[in-house]
Amino acid sequence: MLKSFRMISLIEGLSLVALVCIAMPAKYMFNNPSLVPYVGMTHGVLWLIYLVMSLSASHNAKWSVGYWLFTLVLSVVPFGFIVLELQLKKSITAQEGSESPELT
């Protein structure tokens, strides 16, 4: 579950960066608002998927409410997904390291 959440976190974070660093400057600096509806809608849908998957990952990994709220804050901060990516990668590595194969 954490691997899936990690993937959607990366995609959602990149969509926020595209919205803030590409679509919005195109609208306000170059008077070209045509990208904003497409990038904005895509980001909105991805954020809703992120929200649902964060709840599921939170339940499965037994995160505290504070840590789950921290993941939500990181989802609305540009480049916040990088911080979450590093933490999720550590969690996944630790989780895989604790699973030792049974000898028969």
Side-chain angles (χ1 to χ4, degrees):
M1 184 68 207
L2 282 180
K3 288 182 181 181
S4 300
F5 177 62
R6 182 178 165 207
M7 184 62 63
I8 195 64
S9 171
L10 284 171
I11 295 169
E12 188 275 332
L14 290 173
S15 75
L16 177 61
V17 169
L19 180 63
V20 171
C21 295
I22 297 171
M24 297 303 286
K27 178 179 179 178
Y28 291 108
M29 293 171 62
F30 304 114
N31 199 24
N32 183 5
S34 63
L35 289 175
V36 174
Y38 301 110
V39 178
M41 179 63 77
T42 302
H43 170 68
V45 169
L46 286 170
W47 190 83
L48 290 173
I49 294 169
Y50 176 94
L51 176 67
V52 171
M53 289 192 70
S54 72
L55 283 169
S56 181
S58 171
H59 179 72
N60 288 340
K62 298 185 181 0
W63 292 344
S64 67
V65 174
Y67 187 75
W68 176 72
L69 289 173
F70 178 66
T71 63
L72 288 184
V73 168
L74 289 176
S75 73
V76 296
V77 174
F79 301 104
F81 70 97
I82 296 171
V83 174
L84 186 59
E85 164 68 17
L86 296 173
Q87 290 185 352
L88 289 175
K89 190 174 184 178
K90 285 181 188 176
S91 295
I92 291 170
T93 304
Q95 190 179 42
E96 288 174 350
S98 68
E99 296 174 2
S100 57
E102 293 183 23
L103 299 174
T104 7

